[in-house]
Amino acid sequence: MDLINPAAPGEPPRSYTSLCKELVVALRESVMLEASGAPEFKVRAKADVAKDKIQKFITTWRGNAEVKNEASYESITDAILTLGQFYQKNGQRKRLPQDVLDKVLDDLDAAGKSLGTFRE
């Protein structure tokens, strides 16, 4: 339970919502930059921000009963798993193919909408 930032009954903790909004924005920006064909050093710099948010999400919220049934949790987890599986199979320097980009962006859009980060 988040005692510092209590949420309304039935809503996820505010610290969860805040982190997830930051994660969705950072990861989306990183993936979009890669999709634009930007140089690897720029993509990696942008990805470092997302990586930090992902690590915090995993260490703080993975399997947490308060949030595991949230649509945002499922969508973010799916995006992370998709990226992890791709990079594990192909290496960290391989560019994301369009189908992986589309899947990750769809998951991030779904998470963003459920968090109120993106409008429908």
Side-chain angles (χ1 to χ4, degrees), residues 7-99:
E11 291 185 13
R14 288 185 184 158
S15 57
Y16 165 82
T17 304
S18 176
L19 173 63
C20 288
K21 286 179 178 183
E22 292 171 9
L23 187 157
V24 166
V25 169
L27 188 54
R28 190 172 206 295
E29 287 176 356
S30 172
V31 170
M32 292 296 292
L33 186 61
E34 181 171 333
S36 76
E40 183 179 353
F41 75 93
K42 287 186 178 183
V43 174
R44 286 187 175 271
K46 188 65 89 170
D48 283 345
V49 175
K51 182 176 146 184
D52 291 342
K53 304 291 182 195
I54 290 168
Q55 288 174 340
K56 188 170 184 179
F57 175 84
I58 290 170
T59 58
T60 307
W61 298 108
R62 181 173 58 185
N64 186 302
E66 286 185 273
V67 298
K68 70 179 184 178
N69 293 322
E70 294 290 325
S72 58
Y73 178 86
E74 293 176 15
S75 296
I76 290 169
T77 301
D78 287 348
I80 293 169
L81 287 172
T82 298
L83 288 170
Q85 290 168 350
F86 174 80
Y87 288 125
Q88 185 174 30
K89 181 179 177 184
N90 299 288
Q92 294 179 353
R93 300 190 104 144
K94 181 80 172 169
R95 292 264 181 188
L96 296 171
Q98 193 63 49
D99 63 320

Coordinates of all heavy atoms in Angstrom, one line a residue, residues 7-99:
A7 N -4.1 6.4 -3.0 CA -5.0 6.6 -4.2 C -6.4 6.4 -3.7 O -6.7 6.0 -2.5 CB -4.7 5.5 -5.2
A8 N -7.4 6.8 -4.5 CA -8.8 6.6 -4.2 C -9.0 5.1 -4.1 O -8.4 4.4 -4.8 CB -9.6 7.3 -5.2
P9 N -10.0 4.7 -3.4 CA -10.3 3.3 -3.3 C -10.6 2.7 -4.7 O -11.3 3.4 -5.5 CB -11.6 3.2 -2.5 CG -11.6 4.5 -1.6 CD -10.9 5.5 -2.5
G10 N -10.0 1.6 -5.0 CA -10.2 0.9 -6.3 C -9.3 1.4 -7.4 O -9.3 0.9 -8.5
E11 N -8.4 2.4 -7.1 CA -7.5 2.9 -8.0 C -6.1 2.4 -7.6 O -5.8 2.2 -6.4 CB -7.5 4.4 -8.1 CG -8.8 4.9 -8.7 CD -8.7 6.4 -8.9 OE1 -7.6 7.0 -8.7 OE2 -9.8 7.0 -9.1
P12 N -5.2 2.3 -8.6 CA -3.8 1.9 -8.3 C -3.1 3.0 -7.5 O -3.5 4.2 -7.5 CB -3.1 1.7 -9.6 CG -3.9 2.5 -10.6 CD -5.3 2.5 -10.0
P13 N -2.1 2.6 -6.7 CA -1.3 3.7 -6.0 C -0.8 4.8 -6.9 O -0.4 4.5 -8.0 CB -0.2 2.9 -5.3 CG -0.6 1.5 -5.3 CD -1.5 1.3 -6.5
R14 N -0.7 6.0 -6.4 CA -0.3 7.1 -7.2 C 1.2 6.9 -7.6 O 1.6 7.3 -8.7 CB -0.4 8.4 -6.4 CG -1.9 8.8 -6.3 CD -2.1 10.1 -5.7 NE -3.5 10.4 -5.6 CZ -4.0 11.3 -4.7 NH1 -3.2 12.0 -3.9 NH2 -5.3 11.5 -4.7
S15 N 2.0 6.3 -6.8 CA 3.4 6.1 -7.1 C 3.5 5.1 -8.3 O 4.4 5.3 -9.2 CB 4.2 5.6 -6.0 OG 3.7 4.4 -5.5
Y16 N 2.6 4.2 -8.4 CA 2.6 3.3 -9.6 C 2.2 4.0 -10.8 O 2.8 3.9 -11.9 CB 1.6 2.1 -9.3 CG 1.2 1.4 -10.5 CD1 2.0 0.3 -11.0 CD2 0.0 1.7 -11.2 CE1 1.7 -0.4 -12.2 CE2 -0.3 1.0 -12.4 CZ 0.5 0.0 -12.8 OH 0.2 -0.7 -14.0
T17 N 1.1 4.8 -10.7 CA 0.6 5.5 -11.8 C 1.6 6.5 -12.4 O 1.8 6.6 -13.6 CB -0.7 6.3 -11.5 OG1 -1.7 5.3 -11.0 CG2 -1.3 7.0 -12.7
S18 N 2.3 7.2 -11.5 CA 3.3 8.2 -11.9 C 4.5 7.5 -12.6 O 4.9 8.0 -13.7 CB 3.8 8.9 -10.6 OG 4.8 9.8 -10.9
L19 N 5.0 6.4 -12.0 CA 6.1 5.7 -12.6 C 5.7 5.2 -14.0 O 6.4 5.3 -15.0 CB 6.6 4.6 -11.8 CG 7.6 3.6 -12.4 CD1 8.9 4.4 -12.7 CD2 7.9 2.5 -11.5
C20 N 4.5 4.6 -14.1 CA 4.0 4.0 -15.4 C 3.9 5.1 -16.4 O 4.2 4.8 -17.6 CB 2.7 3.3 -15.2 SG 3.0 1.7 -14.3
K21 N 3.4 6.2 -16.1 CA 3.2 7.3 -17.1 C 4.6 7.7 -17.6 O 4.8 7.9 -18.8 CB 2.5 8.5 -16.5 CG 1.0 8.3 -16.3 CD 0.4 9.5 -15.6 CE -1.1 9.4 -15.5 NZ -1.8 10.6 -15.0
E22 N 5.6 7.9 -16.7 CA 6.9 8.2 -17.1 C 7.5 7.1 -17.9 O 8.2 7.4 -18.9 CB 7.8 8.4 -15.8 CG 7.4 9.7 -15.0 CD 8.2 9.7 -13.7 OE1 9.1 8.9 -13.5 OE2 7.8 10.6 -12.9
L23 N 7.3 5.9 -17.6 CA 7.9 4.7 -18.3 C 7.3 4.7 -19.7 O 8.0 4.5 -20.7 CB 7.6 3.4 -17.6 CG 8.2 2.1 -18.1 CD1 8.2 1.1 -17.0 CD2 7.4 1.6 -19.3
V24 N 6.0 4.8 -19.8 CA 5.3 4.8 -21.1 C 5.9 5.9 -22.1 O 6.2 5.6 -23.2 CB 3.8 4.9 -21.0 CG1 3.1 5.1 -22.3 CG2 3.2 3.6 -20.4
V25 N 6.0 7.1 -21.5 CA 6.5 8.2 -22.4 C 7.9 7.9 -22.8 O 8.3 8.1 -23.9 CB 6.3 9.5 -21.6 CG1 7.0 10.7 -22.3 CG2 4.8 9.9 -21.5
A26 N 8.8 7.6 -21.8 CA 10.2 7.4 -22.1 C 10.4 6.2 -23.1 O 11.2 6.3 -24.0 CB 11.0 7.1 -20.8
L27 N 9.7 5.1 -22.9 CA 9.9 4.0 -23.8 C 9.4 4.3 -25.2 O 10.0 3.9 -26.2 CB 9.3 2.7 -23.2 CG 9.5 1.4 -23.9 CD1 11.0 1.2 -24.1 CD2 8.9 0.2 -23.1
R28 N 8.2 4.9 -25.2 CA 7.7 5.3 -26.5 C 8.6 6.2 -27.3 O 8.8 6.0 -28.5 CB 6.3 6.0 -26.3 CG 5.5 6.1 -27.6 CD 4.1 6.6 -27.3 NE 3.2 6.3 -28.3 CZ 3.2 6.7 -29.5 NH1 4.1 7.5 -29.9 NH2 2.3 6.3 -30.4
E29 N 9.2 7.2 -26.6 CA 10.1 8.1 -27.3 C 11.3 7.4 -27.8 O 11.8 7.6 -28.9 CB 10.5 9.2 -26.3 CG 9.5 10.2 -26.0 CD 9.9 11.3 -25.0 OE1 11.0 11.2 -24.4 OE2 9.1 12.2 -24.7
S30 N 11.8 6.4 -27.0 CA 13.0 5.6 -27.4 C 12.7 4.8 -28.6 O 13.4 4.8 -29.6 CB 13.4 4.7 -26.2 OG 14.4 3.9 -26.6
V31 N 11.5 4.1 -28.6 CA 11.2 3.3 -29.7 C 10.9 4.1 -31.0 O 11.3 3.7 -32.1 CB 9.9 2.4 -29.4 CG1 9.4 1.7 -30.6 CG2 10.3 1.4 -28.3
M32 N 10.2 5.2 -30.8 CA 10.0 6.1 -32.0 C 11.3 6.7 -32.6 O 11.4 6.8 -33.8 CB 9.0 7.2 -31.6 CG 7.6 6.8 -31.2 SD 6.7 6.0 -32.6 CE 6.5 7.4 -33.6
L33 N 12.2 7.0 -31.7 CA 13.5 7.5 -32.2 C 14.2 6.4 -33.0 O 14.7 6.7 -34.1 CB 14.4 7.9 -31.0 CG 15.7 8.6 -31.4 CD1 15.4 9.9 -32.2 CD2 16.5 8.9 -30.1
E34 N 14.2 5.2 -32.5 CA 14.8 4.1 -33.3 C 14.0 3.9 -34.6 O 14.7 3.7 -35.7 CB 14.7 2.8 -32.5 CG 15.4 1.7 -33.3 CD 15.6 0.4 -32.5 OE1 15.7 0.4 -31.3 OE2 15.6 -0.6 -33.2
A35 N 12.7 4.0 -34.6 CA 12.0 3.8 -35.8 C 12.3 4.9 -36.8 O 12.2 4.7 -38.1 CB 10.5 3.8 -35.5
S36 N 12.7 6.1 -36.4 CA 13.0 7.2 -37.3 C 14.3 7.0 -38.0 O 14.7 7.7 -38.9 CB 13.0 8.5 -36.5 OG 14.2 8.6 -35.7
G37 N 15.1 6.0 -37.6 CA 16.4 5.7 -38.2 C 17.5 6.6 -37.6 O 18.6 6.7 -38.2
A38 N 17.3 7.1 -36.4 CA 18.3 7.9 -35.7 C 19.6 7.1 -35.5 O 19.5 5.9 -35.4 CB 17.7 8.5 -34.4
P39 N 20.7 7.8 -35.4 CA 22.0 7.1 -35.1 C 21.9 6.3 -33.7 O 21.2 6.7 -32.8 CB 23.0 8.2 -35.0 CG 22.4 9.4 -35.6 CD 20.9 9.2 -35.5
E40 N 22.6 5.2 -33.7 CA 22.5 4.3 -32.5 C 22.8 5.1 -31.2 O 22.2 4.8 -30.2 CB 23.5 3.2 -32.7 CG 23.4 2.2 -31.6 CD 24.3 1.0 -31.7 OE1 25.0 0.8 -32.8 OE2 24.4 0.2 -30.8
F41 N 23.8 6.0 -31.2 CA 24.2 6.7 -30.0 C 23.0 7.5 -29.4 O 22.8 7.6 -28.2 CB 25.5 7.5 -30.1 CG 25.3 8.8 -30.9 CD1 25.0 10.0 -30.2 CD2 25.4 8.8 -32.2 CE1 24.9 11.2 -30.9 CE2 25.3 10.0 -33.0 CZ 25.0 11.2 -32.3
K42 N 22.2 8.1 -30.3 CA 21.1 8.9 -29.9 C 20.0 7.9 -29.3 O 19.4 8.2 -28.3 CB 20.5 9.7 -31.0 CG 21.4 10.9 -31.4 CD 20.7 11.8 -32.4 CE 21.5 13.0 -32.7 NZ 20.9 13.9 -33.6
V43 N 19.8 6.8 -30.0 CA 18.8 5.9 -29.5 C 19.2 5.3 -28.2 O 18.3 5.2 -27.2 CB 18.6 4.7 -30.6 CG1 17.7 3.7 -30.0 CG2 18.1 5.3 -31.9
R44 N 20.4 5.0 -28.0 CA 20.9 4.4 -26.7 C 20.8 5.4 -25.6 O 20.4 5.1 -24.5 CB 22.3 3.9 -26.8 CG 22.4 2.6 -27.6 CD 23.9 2.1 -27.5 NE 23.9 0.8 -28.2 CZ 23.7 -0.4 -27.6 NH1 23.4 -0.4 -26.3 NH2 23.8 -1.5 -28.2
A45 N 21.1 6.7 -25.9 CA 20.9 7.7 -24.8 C 19.5 7.9 -24.4 O 19.2 8.0 -23.2 CB 21.5 9.1 -25.4
K46 N 18.6 7.8 -25.3 CA 17.2 8.0 -25.0 C 16.7 6.7 -24.3 O 15.9 6.7 -23.4 CB 16.4 8.2 -26.3 CG 14.9 8.5 -26.1 CD 14.7 9.8 -25.4 CE 14.6 10.9 -26.4 NZ 14.1 12.2 -25.7
A47 N 17.2 5.5 -24.7 CA 16.8 4.3 -24.1 C 17.3 4.1 -22.7 O 16.6 3.4 -21.9 CB 17.3 3.1 -25.0
D48 N 18.4 4.8 -22.3 CA 18.8 4.7 -20.9 C 17.8 5.2 -20.0 O 17.6 4.7 -18.9 CB 20.1 5.5 -20.8 CG 21.3 4.7 -21.3 OD1 21.2 3.5 -21.6 OD2 22.4 5.4 -21.5
V49 N 17.1 6.3 -20.3 CA 16.0 6.8 -19.5 C 14.9 5.8 -19.3 O 14.5 5.5 -18.2 CB 15.4 8.1 -20.1 CG1 14.3 8.6 -19.3 CG2 16.5 9.2 -20.2
A50 N 14.5 5.2 -20.4 CA 13.5 4.1 -20.4 C 13.9 2.9 -19.5 O 13.2 2.4 -18.8 CB 13.1 3.7 -21.8
K51 N 15.2 2.6 -19.7 CA 15.8 1.4 -19.0 C 15.7 1.6 -17.5 O 15.3 0.7 -16.8 CB 17.2 1.2 -19.5 CG 17.9 0.0 -18.8 CD 19.3 -0.1 -19.4 CE 20.2 -0.6 -18.4 NZ 21.6 -0.7 -18.9
D52 N 16.0 2.8 -17.0 CA 15.9 3.1 -15.6 C 14.5 2.9 -15.1 O 14.2 2.4 -14.0 CB 16.4 4.5 -15.3 CG 17.9 4.6 -15.5 OD1 18.6 3.6 -15.5 OD2 18.4 5.8 -15.6
K53 N 13.5 3.4 -15.9 CA 12.1 3.3 -15.5 C 11.6 1.9 -15.5 O 10.9 1.4 -14.6 CB 11.2 4.1 -16.4 CG 11.6 5.6 -16.6 CD 11.3 6.4 -15.3 CE 11.7 7.8 -15.5 NZ 11.7 8.5 -14.3
I54 N 12.1 1.1 -16.5 CA 11.7 -0.3 -16.6 C 12.3 -1.1 -15.4 O 11.5 -1.9 -14.8 CB 12.2 -0.9 -17.9 CG1 11.4 -0.4 -19.1 CG2 12.1 -2.5 -17.9 CD1 12.0 -0.7 -20.4
Q55 N 13.5 -0.8 -15.0 CA 14.1 -1.5 -13.8 C 13.3 -1.2 -12.6 O 13.1 -2.1 -11.8 CB 15.6 -1.1 -13.7 CG 16.4 -1.8 -14.8 CD 17.9 -1.3 -14.7 OE1 18.2 -0.3 -14.2 NE2 18.8 -2.1 -15.3
K56 N 12.9 0.1 -12.4 CA 12.2 0.5 -11.2 C 10.8 -0.2 -11.2 O 10.3 -0.7 -10.2 CB 12.0 2.0 -11.1 CG 11.4 2.4 -9.9 CD 11.5 3.9 -9.7 CE 11.0 4.3 -8.3 NZ 11.1 5.7 -8.1
F57 N 10.2 -0.2 -12.4 CA 8.9 -0.9 -12.6 C 9.0 -2.4 -12.1 O 8.1 -2.9 -11.4 CB 8.4 -0.8 -14.0 CG 7.1 -1.5 -14.3 CD1 5.9 -0.9 -14.0 CD2 7.1 -2.8 -14.9 CE1 4.7 -1.6 -14.3 CE2 5.9 -3.5 -15.2 CZ 4.7 -2.9 -14.9
I58 N 10.0 -3.1 -12.7 CA 10.1 -4.5 -12.4 C 10.4 -4.7 -10.9 O 9.8 -5.6 -10.3 CB 11.2 -5.1 -13.3 CG1 10.7 -5.1 -14.7 CG2 11.6 -6.5 -12.8 CD1 11.8 -5.5 -15.7
T59 N 11.3 -4.0 -10.3 CA 11.7 -4.2 -8.9 C 10.6 -3.8 -8.0 O 10.4 -4.4 -6.9 CB 13.0 -3.5 -8.6 OG1 12.9 -2.1 -8.8 CG2 14.2 -4.0 -9.3
T60 N 9.8 -2.8 -8.3 CA 8.8 -2.3 -7.4 C 7.4 -3.0 -7.6 O 6.8 -3.3 -6.6 CB 8.6 -0.8 -7.6 OG1 9.9 -0.2 -7.4 CG2 7.7 -0.2 -6.5
W61 N 7.1 -3.2 -8.8 CA 5.7 -3.6 -9.1 C 5.4 -5.0 -9.7 O 4.3 -5.5 -9.7 CB 5.0 -2.6 -10.0 CG 5.0 -1.2 -9.4 CD1 5.8 -0.2 -9.7 CD2 4.2 -0.8 -8.2 NE1 5.5 0.9 -8.8 CE2 4.5 0.5 -8.0 CE3 3.2 -1.5 -7.5 CZ2 3.9 1.2 -6.9 CZ3 2.7 -0.8 -6.4 CH2 3.0 0.6 -6.2
R62 N 6.5 -5.7 -10.1 CA 6.3 -7.0 -10.7 C 5.6 -8.0 -9.7 O 6.0 -8.2 -8.6 CB 7.6 -7.6 -11.1 CG 7.4 -9.0 -11.8 CD 8.6 -9.6 -12.4 NE 9.7 -9.7 -11.4 CZ 10.9 -10.1 -11.7 NH1 11.2 -10.4 -12.9 NH2 11.8 -10.2 -10.7
G63 N 4.5 -8.5 -10.2 CA 3.7 -9.4 -9.4 C 2.9 -8.8 -8.2 O 2.3 -9.6 -7.4
N64 N 3.0 -7.5 -8.1 CA 2.3 -6.9 -6.9 C 0.8 -7.0 -7.1 O 0.2 -6.6 -8.1 CB 2.7 -5.4 -6.9 CG 2.2 -4.7 -5.7 OD1 1.0 -4.6 -5.4 ND2 3.1 -4.1 -4.9
A65 N 0.2 -7.5 -6.0 CA -1.3 -7.8 -6.0 C -2.1 -6.5 -6.2 O -3.2 -6.6 -6.8 CB -1.7 -8.5 -4.8
E66 N -1.6 -5.4 -5.8 CA -2.3 -4.1 -5.9 C -2.5 -3.7 -7.4 O -3.4 -2.9 -7.7 CB -1.6 -3.0 -5.2 CG -1.7 -3.0 -3.7 CD -1.0 -1.8 -3.1 OE1 0.2 -1.8 -2.9 OE2 -1.8 -0.8 -2.9
V67 N -1.6 -4.1 -8.3 CA -1.6 -3.6 -9.6 C -1.6 -4.7 -10.7 O -1.9 -4.3 -11.9 CB -0.4 -2.7 -9.9 CG1 -0.5 -1.5 -9.0 CG2 0.9 -3.4 -9.8
K68 N -1.4 -5.9 -10.4 CA -1.3 -6.9 -11.4 C -2.5 -7.1 -12.3 O -2.4 -7.7 -13.4 CB -0.8 -8.3 -10.8 CG -1.8 -9.0 -10.0 CD -1.3 -10.3 -9.5 CE -2.4 -11.1 -8.8 NZ -1.9 -12.3 -8.3
N69 N -3.6 -6.7 -11.9 CA -4.8 -6.8 -12.7 C -5.2 -5.5 -13.5 O -6.2 -5.4 -14.2 CB -6.0 -7.2 -11.9 CG -5.8 -8.7 -11.4 OD1 -5.3 -9.5 -12.1 ND2 -6.2 -8.9 -10.2
E70 N -4.3 -4.5 -13.3 CA -4.5 -3.2 -14.1 C -4.2 -3.4 -15.5 O -3.2 -4.1 -15.9 CB -3.6 -2.1 -13.5 CG -3.9 -1.7 -12.1 CD -5.2 -1.0 -12.0 OE1 -5.6 -0.2 -12.9 OE2 -5.9 -1.2 -10.9
A71 N -5.0 -2.8 -16.4 CA -4.7 -2.9 -17.8 C -3.4 -2.3 -18.2 O -2.6 -2.9 -19.0 CB -5.8 -2.2 -18.6
S72 N -3.0 -1.3 -17.5 CA -1.7 -0.7 -17.7 C -0.5 -1.6 -17.4 O 0.5 -1.7 -18.1 CB -1.5 0.6 -17.0 OG -1.7 0.4 -15.6
Y73 N -0.7 -2.3 -16.3 CA 0.3 -3.3 -15.9 C 0.5 -4.4 -16.9 O 1.6 -4.7 -17.3 CB -0.1 -3.9 -14.5 CG 0.9 -5.0 -14.0 CD1 2.0 -4.6 -13.3 CD2 0.7 -6.3 -14.3 CE1 2.9 -5.6 -12.8 CE2 1.6 -7.3 -13.9 CZ 2.7 -6.9 -13.1 OH 3.6 -7.9 -12.7
E74 N -0.6 -4.9 -17.4 CA -0.5 -6.0 -18.4 C 0.1 -5.4 -19.7 O 0.9 -6.1 -20.3 CB -1.9 -6.5 -18.7 CG -2.5 -7.3 -17.5 CD -3.9 -7.8 -17.7 OE1 -4.4 -7.7 -18.8 OE2 -4.5 -8.1 -16.7
S75 N -0.3 -4.3 -20.1 CA 0.2 -3.7 -21.4 C 1.7 -3.4 -21.3 O 2.5 -3.7 -22.2 CB -0.6 -2.4 -21.8 OG -1.9 -2.8 -22.1
I76 N 2.1 -2.8 -20.2 CA 3.5 -2.5 -20.0 C 4.4 -3.7 -19.9 O 5.4 -3.8 -20.5 CB 3.7 -1.6 -18.7 CG1 3.2 -0.2 -19.0 CG2 5.2 -1.5 -18.3 CD1 3.1 0.7 -17.8
T77 N 3.9 -4.7 -19.2 CA 4.6 -6.0 -19.1 C 4.7 -6.6 -20.5 O 5.8 -7.2 -20.8 CB 3.8 -6.9 -18.1 OG1 3.8 -6.3 -16.8 CG2 4.5 -8.2 -18.0
D78 N 3.7 -6.6 -21.3 CA 3.7 -7.2 -22.6 C 4.8 -6.4 -23.5 O 5.5 -7.1 -24.2 CB 2.4 -7.1 -23.3 CG 1.3 -8.1 -22.8 OD1 1.7 -9.0 -22.0 OD2 0.1 -7.9 -23.1
A79 N 4.8 -5.1 -23.4 CA 5.8 -4.4 -24.2 C 7.2 -4.7 -23.7 O 8.1 -4.9 -24.6 CB 5.6 -2.9 -24.0
I80 N 7.5 -4.8 -22.4 CA 8.8 -5.2 -21.9 C 9.2 -6.6 -22.3 O 10.3 -6.8 -22.8 CB 8.8 -5.0 -20.4 CG1 8.7 -3.6 -20.0 CG2 10.1 -5.6 -19.8 CD1 8.4 -3.4 -18.5
L81 N 8.2 -7.5 -22.3 CA 8.5 -8.9 -22.7 C 8.8 -9.0 -24.2 O 9.7 -9.7 -24.6 CB 7.3 -9.8 -22.3 CG 7.2 -10.1 -20.8 CD1 5.9 -10.9 -20.6 CD2 8.3 -10.9 -20.3
T82 N 8.1 -8.3 -25.0 CA 8.3 -8.3 -26.4 C 9.7 -7.8 -26.7 O 10.4 -8.4 -27.5 CB 7.3 -7.4 -27.1 OG1 6.0 -8.0 -26.9 CG2 7.5 -7.4 -28.6
L83 N 10.1 -6.7 -26.1 CA 11.4 -6.1 -26.3 C 12.5 -7.1 -25.8 O 13.5 -7.3 -26.5 CB 11.6 -4.8 -25.7 CG 10.8 -3.6 -26.3 CD1 10.8 -2.4 -25.4 CD2 11.4 -3.3 -27.7
G84 N 12.3 -7.6 -24.6 CA 13.3 -8.5 -24.0 C 13.5 -9.8 -24.9 O 14.6 -10.2 -25.1
Q85 N 12.4 -10.3 -25.4 CA 12.5 -11.5 -26.2 C 13.3 -11.2 -27.5 O 14.1 -12.0 -28.0 CB 11.1 -12.1 -26.5 CG 10.5 -12.7 -25.3 CD 9.0 -13.0 -25.5 OE1 8.4 -12.6 -26.4 NE2 8.4 -13.8 -24.5
F86 N 12.9 -10.1 -28.1 CA 13.6 -9.7 -29.3 C 15.1 -9.5 -29.1 O 15.9 -10.1 -29.9 CB 13.0 -8.4 -29.9 CG 13.8 -7.9 -31.1 CD1 13.6 -8.5 -32.4 CD2 14.7 -6.9 -31.0 CE1 14.3 -8.1 -33.5 CE2 15.5 -6.5 -32.1 CZ 15.2 -7.1 -33.4
Y87 N 15.5 -8.7 -28.1 CA 16.9 -8.5 -27.9 C 17.7 -9.7 -27.4 O 18.8 -9.9 -27.7 CB 17.1 -7.3 -26.9 CG 16.7 -6.0 -27.6 CD1 15.8 -5.1 -27.0 CD2 17.3 -5.6 -28.8 CE1 15.5 -3.9 -27.6 CE2 17.0 -4.3 -29.4 CZ 16.1 -3.5 -28.8 OH 15.8 -2.3 -29.3
Q88 N 17.0 -10.5 -26.7 CA 17.7 -11.8 -26.2 C 18.0 -12.7 -27.4 O 19.1 -13.3 -27.5 CB 16.8 -12.5 -25.2 CG 17.4 -13.8 -24.7 CD 16.6 -14.4 -23.6 OE1 15.4 -14.3 -23.6 NE2 17.2 -15.0 -22.6
K89 N 17.1 -12.7 -28.4 CA 17.3 -13.6 -29.6 C 18.2 -12.9 -30.6 O 19.0 -13.6 -31.2 CB 15.9 -13.8 -30.2 CG 16.0 -14.7 -31.5 CD 14.6 -14.9 -32.1 CE 14.7 -15.7 -33.3 NZ 13.3 -15.8 -34.0
N90 N 18.2 -11.6 -30.7 CA 18.9 -10.9 -31.8 C 20.1 -10.0 -31.4 O 20.8 -9.5 -32.2 CB 17.9 -10.0 -32.6 CG 16.8 -10.9 -33.2 OD1 17.1 -11.6 -34.2 ND2 15.6 -10.8 -32.7
G91 N 20.3 -9.8 -30.1 CA 21.3 -9.0 -29.6 C 20.8 -7.5 -29.4 O 19.8 -7.1 -30.1
Q92 N 21.5 -6.8 -28.6 CA 21.1 -5.4 -28.3 C 21.2 -4.4 -29.4 O 20.6 -3.3 -29.3 CB 21.8 -4.9 -27.0 CG 21.5 -5.7 -25.8 CD 22.2 -5.2 -24.6 OE1 23.1 -4.3 -24.7 NE2 21.9 -5.7 -23.4
R93 N 22.1 -4.7 -30.3 CA 22.4 -3.7 -31.4 C 21.5 -3.8 -32.6 O 21.5 -3.0 -33.5 CB 23.8 -3.8 -31.8 CG 24.7 -3.5 -30.6 CD 26.1 -3.4 -31.1 NE 26.4 -1.9 -31.0 CZ 27.6 -1.4 -30.7 NH1 28.5 -2.2 -30.4 NH2 27.7 -0.1 -30.7
K94 N 20.7 -4.9 -32.6 CA 19.8 -5.1 -33.8 C 18.7 -4.1 -33.8 O 18.0 -3.9 -32.7 CB 19.3 -6.6 -33.7 CG 18.4 -7.0 -34.9 CD 19.2 -7.3 -36.1 CE 18.3 -7.9 -37.1 NZ 18.9 -8.0 -38.4
R95 N 18.4 -3.5 -34.9 CA 17.2 -2.6 -35.0 C 15.9 -3.4 -34.9 O 15.8 -4.6 -35.4 CB 17.3 -1.9 -36.4 CG 18.4 -0.9 -36.5 CD 17.9 0.4 -36.1 NE 19.0 1.4 -36.2 CZ 18.8 2.7 -35.8 NH1 17.7 3.1 -35.3 NH2 19.8 3.5 -35.9
L96 N 14.9 -2.8 -34.3 CA 13.6 -3.5 -34.2 C 12.9 -3.5 -35.6 O 12.8 -2.5 -36.3 CB 12.7 -2.7 -33.2 CG 13.2 -2.6 -31.8 CD1 12.3 -1.7 -31.0 CD2 13.2 -4.0 -31.2
P97 N 12.4 -4.7 -36.0 CA 11.6 -4.8 -37.2 C 10.3 -4.1 -37.0 O 9.8 -3.9 -35.9 CB 11.5 -6.3 -37.5 CG 11.7 -6.9 -36.2 CD 12.6 -6.0 -35.3
Q98 N 9.6 -3.9 -38.1 CA 8.3 -3.2 -38.0 C 7.3 -3.9 -37.2 O 6.5 -3.3 -36.4 CB 7.8 -2.9 -39.4 CG 6.6 -1.9 -39.5 CD 7.0 -0.5 -39.0 OE1 8.0 0.0 -39.4 NE2 6.2 0.0 -38.1
D99 N 7.2 -5.2 -37.3 CA 6.2 -5.9 -36.5 C 6.4 -5.8 -35.0 O 5.5 -5.7 -34.2 CB 6.1 -7.4 -36.9 CG 7.4 -8.2 -36.7 OD1 8.5 -7.7 -36.9 OD2 7.3 -9.4 -36.3

